[in-house]
């Protein structure tokens, strides 16, 4: 592998010509990044960990506070911070890159047309930097900000990451070896509480998992659009498809060109449905991952419920066939 600096890899991941300057590295707030890391570890995520405040962080804090019986302020107050971090866990961890962490395959650029995507063996990450960012639930820009822009992405290099390392990677034995690797690569903890229902709230823009009256997880979600609205009602989870392909069928997609041919897009983290599909009793609808985690909650979908790959993978360990999925306005 070429020894490329983080700033150069950021340019490649963005699909920008190498002759151009890399995008500027945005500033981040260390306290906000720490809160995002802690919330992620508790299962109340704000999407990507980027050290930026905003509505997603406030919703994550409100969800955590509600679950823990704390005053619901949506703010990182002293009481909430103590509940989030009783063991004084640091926000970041420094790790030495391995050949395994940097291993491909990579596909750059990702073709825009589904017909061209269908010709590929996989829809893999575009670069090692994109892969590392997703492994640690963050963005390429945030990794550059946490490190020197001249940090070389090669085995043996020390790199600072958000501290989302799981306590366990002892994933259930009935999962495929490939999916266990996917879960490990995404730093999804193997020990997850079991949900007895999932609630998707359109107005709030989140998905919550419950066990009885207790909220056990909350994730930001993209759901529906004007042409493909979220199907309000009570549905049931039918099963989980790990590392799925995706079938582009213009006959059932309202915004598709009806003259297009059907296509089967291969599996991979940059597949349109990401690393996992949680099938629902509503035909053609599911809860799934995404190739663009930074856009969760900010863009529209074809009616399905889209999460970051790591949140969708985490949810896949929390649900079983028959679990109700309630979609509310």
């Amino acid at each position: 592998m070429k020894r490329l600096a983080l700033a150069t890899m950021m340019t490649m991941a963005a699909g920008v010509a190498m002759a151009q300057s890399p995008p500027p590295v945005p500033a981040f707030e260390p306290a906000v990044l720490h809160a995002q890391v802690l919330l992620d570890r508790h299962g109340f995520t704000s999407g990507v960990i980027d050290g930026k405040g905003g509505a997603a962080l406030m919703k994550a804090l409100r969800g955590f506070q509600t679950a823990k019986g704390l005053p619901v302020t949506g703010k990182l107050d002293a009481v909430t911070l103590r509940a989030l971090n009783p063991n004084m866990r640091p926000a970041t961890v420094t790790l030495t890159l391995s050949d395994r962490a940097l291993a491909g395959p990579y596909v750059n650029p990702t073709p825009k047309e589904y017909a061209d995507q269908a010709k590929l063996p996989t829809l893999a990450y575009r670069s090692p930097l994109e892969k590392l960012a997703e492994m640690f639930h963050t963005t390429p820009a945030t990794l550059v900000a946490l490190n020197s822009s001249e940090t070389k992405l090669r085995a043996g290099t020390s790199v600072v990451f958000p501290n989302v390392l799981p306590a366990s990677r002892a994933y259930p034995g009935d999962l495929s070896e490939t999916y266990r690797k996917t879960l490990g690569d995404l730093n999804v903890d193997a020990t997850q509480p079991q949900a007895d229902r999932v609630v998707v709230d359109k107005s709030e823009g989140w998905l919550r998992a419950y066990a009885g009256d207790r909220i056990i997880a909350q994730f930001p979600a993209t759901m529906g659009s004007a042409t493909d609205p979220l199907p309000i009602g009570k549905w049931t989870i039918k099963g989980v498809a790990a590392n799925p392909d995706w079938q582009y069928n213009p006959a059932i997609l309202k915004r598709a060109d009806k003259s297009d041919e059907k296509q089967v897009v291969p599996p991979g983290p940059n597949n349109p449905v990401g690393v996992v599909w949680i099938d629902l009793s509503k035909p053609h609808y599911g809860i799934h991952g995404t190739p663009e985690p930074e856009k969760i909650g900010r863009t529209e979908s074809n009616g399905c419920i889209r999460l970051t790959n790591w949140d969708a993978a985490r949810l896949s360990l929390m649900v079983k066939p028959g679990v109700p999925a309630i979609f509310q306005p």
Side-chain angles (χ1 to χ4, degrees), residues 24-44:
V25 177
F28 68 91
E29 298 180 48
V32 172
L33 185 134
H34 199 178
Q36 290 174 324
V37 168
L38 296 170
L39 285 162
D40 184 287
R41 296 190 61 80
H42 283 277
F44 291 79

Side-chain angles (χ1 to χ4, degrees), residues 26-304:
F28 68 91
E29 298 180 48
V32 172
L33 185 134
H34 199 178
Q36 290 174 324
V37 168
L38 296 170
L39 285 162
D40 184 287
R41 296 190 61 80
H42 283 277
F44 291 79
T45 67
S46 58
V48 293
I49 295 170
D50 58 4
K52 299 176 184 178
L57 177 62
M58 182 181 70
K59 289 178 184 179
L61 286 167
R62 289 175 63 88
F64 176 79
Q65 290 163 341
T66 301
K68 300 300 179 181
L70 304 175
V72 181
T73 64
K75 298 178 180 179
L76 189 62
D77 49 50
V79 174
T80 303
L81 186 58
R82 284 195 297 270
L84 278 170
N85 200 17
N87 299 320
M88 302 301 290
R89 189 179 183 92
T92 61
V93 59
T94 301
L95 301 172
T96 301
L97 294 180
S98 65
D99 288 327
R100 181 181 180 278
L102 295 169
Y106 298 105
V107 175
N108 192 12
T110 300
K112 292 182 179 180
E113 300 297 328
Y114 294 131
D116 294 326
Q117 293 179 8
K119 298 174 184 177
L120 299 172
T122 179
L123 275 173
Y125 294 115
R126 291 173 291 178
S127 70
L129 181 57
E130 184 186 32
K131 178 185 179 182
L132 291 170
E134 187 139 314
M135 288 175 71
F136 289 88
H137 309 178
T138 187
T139 67
T142 304
L143 284 186
V144 176
L146 286 170
N147 296 272
S148 165
S149 61
E150 296 305 312
T151 299
K152 305 294 185 182
L153 287 184
R154 64 184 183 221
T157 298
S158 294
V159 177
V160 178
F161 296 101
N163 190 8
V164 296
L165 293 175
S168 170
R169 286 189 170 90
Y171 303 109
D174 59 345
L175 300 179
S176 70
E177 181 179 348
T178 301
Y179 194 48
R180 288 200 298 272
K181 181 181 184 301
T182 297
L183 293 167
D185 284 347
L186 288 172
N187 283 314
V188 174
D189 201 300
T191 304
Q192 297 293 339
Q194 294 302 294
D196 60 25
R197 71 187 185 282
V198 169
V199 176
V200 176
D201 191 292
K202 180 180 179 180
S203 62
E204 290 290 338
W206 47 241
L207 178 152
R208 280 180 174 174
Y210 287 82
D213 294 330
R214 185 167 59 96
I215 307 169
I216 57 176
Q218 178 181 301
F219 308 127
T222 291
M223 56 191 80
S225 65
T227 55
D228 294 278
L230 180 75
I232 303 301
K234 184 176 180 180
W235 313 103
T236 303
I237 290 174
K238 295 178 62 179
V240 173
N243 296 307
D245 58 26
W246 180 69
Q247 297 189 28
Y248 172 65
N249 184 352
I252 63 174
L253 296 174
K254 293 180 181 178
R255 289 180 288 178
D257 186 335
K258 303 307 179 186
S259 66
D260 287 350
E261 295 183 359
K262 292 182 180 180
Q263 303 291 343
V264 178
V265 178
N270 280 341
N271 175 291
V273 296
V275 301
V276 66
W277 172 272
I278 301 173
D279 199 32
L280 298 171
S281 56
K282 172 72 172 174
H284 311 303
Y285 283 81
I287 303 167
H288 60 83
T290 181
E292 298 178 303
E294 294 173 67
K295 294 184 178 180
I296 290 298
R298 297 181 174 90
T299 56
E300 296 182 335
S301 74
N302 290 318
C304 292

